[in-house]
Amino acid sequence: MLITHDTRCALDTVVDLVNTAPEDDAAPDGLPDVAALKDFVRNHEISDVGVLSEFDLSAVRKIRGRFASVFAAPEARAAAALINDLVAAAGTTPQLTDHDGYDWHVHYFAPGASVADHLAADCGMALAFFVVAGEQERLRRCEAPDCRRAFVDLSRNRSRRYCDSRTCGNRLHVAAYRARRKEAAG
């Protein structure tokens, strides 16, 4: 599957956005305030975003939950319905642009769109490309028992099972190895 630069950036953004959600009631929110939202926007080089407010923070948190539902969707039809709702609500307006030193690419958000609509449109379309390509199963959650972080499996054979931010796979492999050694030792 060919993934363009802007689609890859949108995928990275949506994964990072979903992963800002608290994993449980005791965990802190990764977007606790407007300053954190500003940092998120700056770190992901989200263009055409004006002054951010509490309203924007609330709206971004709301779509974050909707994107999390896409990653949890049991099959493509359910993911497609969720993505269609996100993109439609954002009022998509595809436009060709070549800003900030990047060659021609498509933005799906309307000029002057809120940051939430911007994210819903661009990230929603990036996820839509996976559904269209029959690759919805690549939108995953980490299989480590103590981690549910989202990721996009871009491995050639669709075999990635763990996120790479917490070394979950390595921890579980080491634990399994130690358990086998302990069992063999008797």
Side-chain angles (χ1 to χ4, degrees), residues 15-16 24 35 45 48 51 54 67 78 90 111 116 120-121 133 139 150 153 179 182 185:
V15 165
D16 289 348
D24 57 42
E45 298 178 354
D48 295 332
V51 176
E54 288 291 332
F67 278 129
L139 308 176
D153 179 4
K182 185 176 181 178

Side-chain angles (χ1 to χ4, degrees), residues 38-171:
K38 288 177 184 176
D39 288 343
F40 184 89
V41 165
R42 185 183 66 254
N43 292 338
H44 289 87
E45 298 178 354
I46 300 170
S47 60
D48 295 332
V49 175
V51 176
L52 299 173
S53 66
E54 288 291 332
F55 177 82
D56 293 306
L57 178 62
S58 176
V60 168
R61 285 178 177 164
K62 198 173 293 183
I63 65 155
R64 173 180 70 185
R66 295 177 74 191
F67 278 129
S69 297
V70 173
F71 279 84
E75 43 86 29
R77 186 164 307 282
L82 293 164
I83 294 167
N84 283 341
D85 288 346
L86 270 163
V87 171
T92 57
T93 307
Q95 298 180 62
L96 286 168
T97 184
D98 66 341
H99 63 88
D100 298 332
Y102 295 108
D103 205 359
W104 290 104
H105 59 283
V106 179
H107 280 185
Y108 295 95
F109 57 91
S114 70
V115 66
D117 285 346
H118 179 130
L119 291 168
D122 271 2
C123 296
M125 289 304 299
L127 295 176
F129 295 142
F130 276 77
V131 174
V132 168
E135 302 285 352
Q136 181 258 336
E137 75 275 1
R138 289 182 182 267
L139 308 176
R140 298 192 175 162
R141 290 289 191 158
C142 184
E143 292 182 18
D146 59 343
C147 180
R148 296 298 302 150
R149 293 178 63 83
F151 67 93
V152 178
D153 179 4
L154 297 177
S155 67
R156 195 175 276 188
N157 62 356
R158 298 174 188 89
S159 62
R160 189 168 156 202
R161 297 173 44 204
Y162 307 107
C163 71
D164 59 358
S165 63
R166 295 185 180 181
T167 63
C168 290
N170 189 45
R171 278 187 306 107

